[in-house]
């Protein structure tokens, strides 16, 4: 018969004694269970004892977490959190360096437990640690020549205990003095070769910036991005991760006018690592999101049609495309002529509003960001820009790929793909290495994608009615290329070369056929059953088309005579083959041929 659900069978250890097997009644108060255990080993003052897990966590068992005890668990009888906190509070103030070092080592370990942390903090333990960092370390630094390893370990354990205690969220980060912030910031420069101290110092700075309401300015005055860059060039990925975390924190809290960081500096970090761990991936993802979010203001800014500076950008696009050196004189006789010329050119540029193209940029998103991208493309890849504009302006109206409209919709699509304006997720890790290879990565990304759009438009032989279909294909091409995680923008461009419209159609067909539903037995049986009927229907439709007749384009007089006849006979031969060489089809072909 199984034991009651409230009974848990465990083993309890005590130093110097054999473990004791006993059954714990979860309905009994924890203090009564501890008294029972103490009585078994004849220990007085049971209120000074507690139970904790005997695994590597060493976490105390409380009334809140006691339900986590499982059958077969190994527990340990130990000093209560209150007594342990009192003892460690005294030991870390010892005049003996060895005793102090051992106490700080124990404190760093015990501080991970929130139960102990609460007791130690109640003894004003955080203030004691900050005082040791602010002033106490100077006294120990004087002894560095004779006890350098001891000093380094002592400071490392002090900072570790501080980080663990603060991670529980019991004490506000806003309570710390400028002297403490300066000391932590100084460690980032002084202890470049001491991984433990450097790591804890960076972790503290990150938490100060993110969790303190008024600490950004104080931290930013003591540490700059330039001081952090050398740590990105080291070989330790963990230090690089903590460094990027601090950069992200400063970036996130900085005012808009100070949010600047050269993301191309991070390229070294990515290339230097064979494998990027999860935490590094998360920090790179956060930096990528924060960087693209700098574009949100332009993305949500409407163009003011009355703003001459903004209108000048459109004039510049027109000038680059058509190499306009001078304009007609502005006297009254040429006003209409000038307006007509502007309208014609704006139509060639592919704007929706030919008369006042500024109106095309009043929708948000993408707002002024689309115009920024167009100007960047026109100036930095001028030959490609001119080729696209002139190539499309020479096509028939319905077949032209409108550069203006395409650029606006493409910018909107890229903002959606890159989630511009959204806050980074706490668990996100999806970053793209290629965006860390250029400080104007979005603009370069746009330049590649607008050329892709024009190429896909031609491959699809699209008309103006197909605009949305083309944009869907382009989005698929971009997304499929991004999933390969290209390491550079050039590699991304190469990936797109292998994702033509024809290839996209093949991939779609392959994916549809590989879906489990299409390979299931009922589907295959149905396909086999109706296939003959469908083929017969296709033949009848083709035959009806031949009987009813069709239209052939008219050839001009310069082409040789008889071309119409030859094309039609060729068409009949192909139809004859497609129709399965039926006798009925043969007779029709023979009669029509005789008419010629």
């Amino acid at each position: 018969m199984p034991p009651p659900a409230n009974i848990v069978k465990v083993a309890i250890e005590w130093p110097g004694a054999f473990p004791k097997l006993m059954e714990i009644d979860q309905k009994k108060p924890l203090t009564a269970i501890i008294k029972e255990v103490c009585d078994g080993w004849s220990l007085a003052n049971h209120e000074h004892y507690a139970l904790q897990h005997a695994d590597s966590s060493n976490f105390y068992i409380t009334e809140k977490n006691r339900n986590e005890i499982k059958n077969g668990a190994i527990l340990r009888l130990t000093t209560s959190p209150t007594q342990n906190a009192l003892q460690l509070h005294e030991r870390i103030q010892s005049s003996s360096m060895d005793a102090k070092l051992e106490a700080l080592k124990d404190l760093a370990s015990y501080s991970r437990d929130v139960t102990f942390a609460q007791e130690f903090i109640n003894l004003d333990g955080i203030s004691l640690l900050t005082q040791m960092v602010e002033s106490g370390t100077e006294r120990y630094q004087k002894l560095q020549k004779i006890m350098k390893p001891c000093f380094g370990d002592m400071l490392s354990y002090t900072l570790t205990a501080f980080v663990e205690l603060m991670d529980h969220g019991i004490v506000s980060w806003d309570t710390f003095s400028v002297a403490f912030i300066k000391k932590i910031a100084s460690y980032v420069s002084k202890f470049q070769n001491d991984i433990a101290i450097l790591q804890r110092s960076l972790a503290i700075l990150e938490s100060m910036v993110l969790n303190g309401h008024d600490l950004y300015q104080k931290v930013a005055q003591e540490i700059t991005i330039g001081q952090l860059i050398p740590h990105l060039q080291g070989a330790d990925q963990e230090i690089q991760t903590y460094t990027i975390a601090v950069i992200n924190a400063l970036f996130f809290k900085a005012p808009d006018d100070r949010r600047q960081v050269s993301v191309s500096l991070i390229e070294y970090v990515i290339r230097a690592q064979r494998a990027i761990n999860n935490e590094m991936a998360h920090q790179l993802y956060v930096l990528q999101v924060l960087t693209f979010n700098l574009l949100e203001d332009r993305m949500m800014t409407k163009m003011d049609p009355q703003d001459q500076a903004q209108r000048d950008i459109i004039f510049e696009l027109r000038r680059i495309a058509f190499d306009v050196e001078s304009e007609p004189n502005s006297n009254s006789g040429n006003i209409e002529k000038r307006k007509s010329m502007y309208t014609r050119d704006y139509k060639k540029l592919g704007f929706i509003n030919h008369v006042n193209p500024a109106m095309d940029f009043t929708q948000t998103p993408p707002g002024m960001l689309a115009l920024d991208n167009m100007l960047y493309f026109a100036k930095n890849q001028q030959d490609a820009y001119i080729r696209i504009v002139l190539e499309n302006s020479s096509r028939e109206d319905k077949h032209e790929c409108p550069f203006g409209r395409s650029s606006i919709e493409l910018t909107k699509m890229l903002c959606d793909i890159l989630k511009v304006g959204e806050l980074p997720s706490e668990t996100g890790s999806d970053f793209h290495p290629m965006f860390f290879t250029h400080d104007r990565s979005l603009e370069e990304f746009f330049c590649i994608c607008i050329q892709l759009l024009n190429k896909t438009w031609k491959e699809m032989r699209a008309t103006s009615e197909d605009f949305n279909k083309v944009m869907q294909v382009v989005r698929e091409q971009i997304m499929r290329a991004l999933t390969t995680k290209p390491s550079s923008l050039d590699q991304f461009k190469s990936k797109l070369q292998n994702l033509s419209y024809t290839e996209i159609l093949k991939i779609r067909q392959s994916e549809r056929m590989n879906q489990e539903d299409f390979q299931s037995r009922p589907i295959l049986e149905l396909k086999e059953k109706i296939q003959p009927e469908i083929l017969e229907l296709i033949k009848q439709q083709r035959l009806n088309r031949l009987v009813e007749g069709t239209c052939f384009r008219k050839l001009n007089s310069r082409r040789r005579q008889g071309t119409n006849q030859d094309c039609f006979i060729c068409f009949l031969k192909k139809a004859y083959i497609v129709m399965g060489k039926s006798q009925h089809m043969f007779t029709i072909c023979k009669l029509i041929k005789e008419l010629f």
Side-chain angles (χ1 to χ4, degrees):
M1 182 176 177
N6 58 294
I7 300 298
V8 182
K9 295 182 177 182
V10 300
I12 301 179
E13 297 176 340
W14 173 251
F18 287 106
K20 179 180 295 187
L21 299 176
M22 66 178 296
E23 295 182 348
I24 292 179
D25 186 352
Q26 293 284 38
K27 292 183 178 181
K28 292 175 62 175
L30 190 57
T31 53
I33 295 172
I34 293 172
K35 183 178 185 305
E36 183 181 341
V37 174
C38 289
D39 291 343
W41 275 309
S42 301
L43 299 173
N45 301 320
H46 69 274
E47 64 275 6
H48 292 167
Y49 295 93
L51 292 172
Q52 67 179 183
H53 292 280
D55 56 18
S56 57
S57 69
N58 292 328
F59 287 165
Y60 280 102
I61 295 170
T62 64
E63 291 289 354
K64 291 182 179 179
N65 63 25
R66 61 184 294 179
N67 290 328
E68 298 175 8
I69 302 174
K70 306 297 182 183
N71 276 315
I74 300 177
L75 309 181
R76 181 187 297 119
L77 185 67
T78 186
T79 309
S80 70
T82 303
Q83 289 296 310
N84 199 6
L86 283 167
Q87 293 171 8
L88 282 173
H89 194 272
E90 293 176 3
R91 288 170 57 198
I92 62 176
Q93 300 179 74
S94 172
S95 58
S96 168
M97 292 297 103
D98 291 337
K100 193 181 193 74
L101 178 62
E102 195 64 29
L104 287 169
K105 182 178 180 180
D106 290 342
L107 179 63
S109 175
Y110 279 111
S111 294
R112 293 178 298 149
D113 186 350
V114 65
T115 307
F116 169 83
Q118 184 66 70
E119 296 295 337
F120 188 79
I121 289 171
N122 289 343
L123 297 172
D124 212 15
I126 292 289
S127 296
L128 178 60
L129 292 180
T130 54
Q131 289 171 13
M132 292 171 61
V133 171
E134 288 175 20
S135 57
T137 52
E138 277 82 354
R139 180 163 58 90
Y140 303 129
Q141 281 178 300
K142 294 177 183 178
L143 305 176
Q144 273 189 283
K145 291 184 179 180
I146 58 174
M147 53 177 296
K148 185 174 181 180
C150 180
F151 169 75
D153 291 342
M154 190 177 298
L155 182 56
S156 174
Y157 289 132
T158 301
L159 295 178
T160 301
F162 178 83
V163 170
E164 296 290 354
L165 291 168
M166 291 302 297
D167 277 351
H168 298 298
I170 300 172
V171 178
S172 170
W173 283 92
D174 289 306
T175 59
F176 299 107
S177 65
V178 174
F180 179 75
I181 296 172
K182 285 186 175 184
K183 186 64 66 175
I184 297 298
S186 70
Y187 293 159
V188 173
S189 301
K190 289 181 181 178
F191 294 94
Q192 294 190 28
N193 298 322
D194 193 317
I195 301 300
I197 295 176
L198 180 57
Q199 183 191 90
R200 273 58 166 191
S201 299
L202 290 169
I204 292 171
L205 290 176
E206 179 200 7
S207 295
M208 282 181 174
V209 175
L210 289 179
N211 301 312
H213 291 93
D214 302 312
L215 292 184
Y216 163 76
Q217 290 290 349
K218 296 177 182 177
V219 174
Q221 289 174 0
E222 303 301 328
I223 195 80
T224 64
I225 302 294
Q227 291 173 286
L228 295 170
I229 295 302
H231 299 304
L232 294 175
Q233 299 170 343
D236 191 286
Q237 185 173 152
E238 198 165 1
I239 292 299
Q240 291 175 334
T241 303
Y242 277 94
T243 302
I244 295 175
V246 176
I247 292 174
N248 286 339
L250 291 169
F251 200 135
F252 185 73
K253 289 286 187 174
D256 292 342
D257 59 342
R258 296 188 63 182
R259 286 187 176 184
Q260 294 181 352
V261 62
S262 178
V263 294
S264 59
L265 294 171
I266 312 298
E267 182 185 5
Y268 175 85
V269 177
I270 299 172
R271 292 193 175 185
Q273 301 299 334
R274 293 182 179 178
I276 293 179
N277 60 39
N278 293 336
E279 183 57 32
M280 171 70 85
H282 172 69
Q283 294 300 337
L284 290 172
Y285 152 79
V286 171
L287 181 57
Q288 174 183 291
V289 172
L290 294 177
T291 302
F292 284 133
N293 281 356
L294 294 176
L295 304 168
E296 183 182 10
D297 182 57
R298 293 294 284 175
M299 181 183 75
M300 300 306 294
T301 299
K302 296 181 180 181
M303 185 171 185
D304 181 2
Q306 306 304 319
D307 190 320
Q308 187 59 43
Q310 295 178 0
R311 291 171 63 87
D312 286 344
I313 300 176
I314 298 178
F315 293 151
E316 181 68 5
L317 290 174
R318 173 177 170 269
R319 186 196 66 77
I320 295 173
F322 305 114
D323 195 22
V324 180
E325 295 296 339
S326 61
E327 301 292 349
N329 294 329
S330 58
N331 57 57
S332 59
N334 286 322
I335 291 178
E336 291 302 321
K337 183 178 178 181
R338 189 170 68 252
K339 286 183 177 180
S340 175
M341 182 176 61
Y342 284 174
T343 300
R344 181 199 64 201
D345 290 347
Y346 291 149
K347 182 179 181 181
K348 289 181 180 179
L349 281 169
F351 290 111
I352 298 174
N353 192 319
H354 305 155
V355 177
N356 186 8
M359 299 303 296
D360 287 12
F361 302 95
T362 55
Q363 178 188 1
T364 56
M368 288 295 293
L369 185 59
L371 189 58
D372 294 342
N373 286 339
M374 293 167 70
L375 183 63
Y376 183 90
F377 178 51
K379 286 188 171 182
N380 292 274
Q381 297 194 28
Q382 189 167 321
D383 290 343
Y385 167 69
I386 294 173
R387 185 182 67 252
I388 288 177
V389 173
L390 297 184
E391 184 180 280
N392 285 289
S393 63
S394 64
R395 295 178 185 170
E396 298 177 36
D397 286 350
K398 67 175 184 177
H399 284 288
E400 67 175 350
C401 177
F403 174 73
R405 181 186 177 192
S406 298
S407 297
I408 292 169
E409 290 301 318
L410 178 63
T411 301
K412 184 178 180 181
M413 178 198 296
L414 297 183
C415 289
D416 181 57
I417 291 173
L418 300 176
K419 304 186 184 306
V420 176
E422 295 186 18
L423 290 176
S425 164
E426 294 183 0
T427 58
S429 60
D430 185 21
F431 76 95
H432 297 281
M434 71 178 192
F435 292 130
F436 294 98
T437 61
H438 202 287
D439 286 335
R440 302 289 295 274
S441 57
L442 180 76
E443 291 89 337
E444 290 290 322
F445 189 38
F446 171 84
C447 291
I448 295 172
C449 294
I450 191 63
Q451 294 177 76
L452 167 71
L453 193 155
N454 189 64
K455 174 174 172 285
T456 301
W457 185 283
K458 290 188 291 185
E459 291 173 348
M460 294 178 66
R461 299 179 183 177
T463 64
S464 54
E465 290 80 10
D466 300 320
F467 186 86
N468 291 333
K469 292 181 182 178
V470 175
M471 295 304 295
Q472 289 173 5
V473 173
V474 169
R475 185 186 185 98
E476 184 174 348
Q477 289 170 314
I478 294 171
M479 293 302 294
R480 288 186 183 277
L482 286 177
T483 55
T484 64
K485 300 292 182 182
S487 59
S488 67
L489 290 162
D490 286 338
Q491 194 176 94
F492 172 73
K493 191 173 182 179
S494 298
K495 296 287 184 183
L496 291 176
Q497 293 295 327
N498 299 322
L499 286 170
S500 64
Y501 175 59
T502 303
E503 186 62 27
I504 290 294
L505 292 179
K506 290 179 180 178
I507 293 172
R508 287 177 176 178
Q509 178 67 18
S510 176
E511 289 178 348
R512 281 197 297 265
M513 295 306 296
N514 290 331
Q515 287 178 4
E516 186 177 350
D517 290 344
F518 283 96
Q519 299 301 320
S520 62
R521 186 179 182 86
I523 295 294
L524 293 176
E525 289 178 353
L526 179 61
K527 179 181 177 181
E528 184 179 352
K529 182 178 180 180
I530 67 174
Q531 189 172 23
E533 183 180 347
I534 293 175
L535 291 175
E536 182 61 31
L537 180 60
I538 292 172
K539 288 181 180 181
Q540 289 300 321
Q541 287 176 332
R542 289 174 177 172
L543 182 59
N544 292 338
R545 184 66 172 170
L546 286 171
V547 172
E548 293 172 4
T550 188
C551 295
F552 294 86
R553 61 187 178 85
K554 183 179 180 180
L555 299 178
N556 59 41
S557 58
R558 288 179 295 177
R559 304 214 178 171
R560 68 182 182 88
Q561 296 297 324
T563 302
N564 238 350
Q565 175 183 336
D566 293 340
C567 289
F568 188 51
I569 291 173
C570 181
F571 166 74
L572 288 174
K573 287 180 179 179
K574 291 181 179 179
Y576 173 56
I577 295 171
V578 172
M579 290 295 294
K581 301 181 180 179
S582 69
Q583 184 62 37
H584 187 57
M585 184 65 211
F586 175 76
T587 304
I588 293 175
C589 290
K590 187 176 180 181
L591 289 172
I592 295 176
K593 187 175 181 181
E594 289 176 357
L595 293 176
F596 289 97

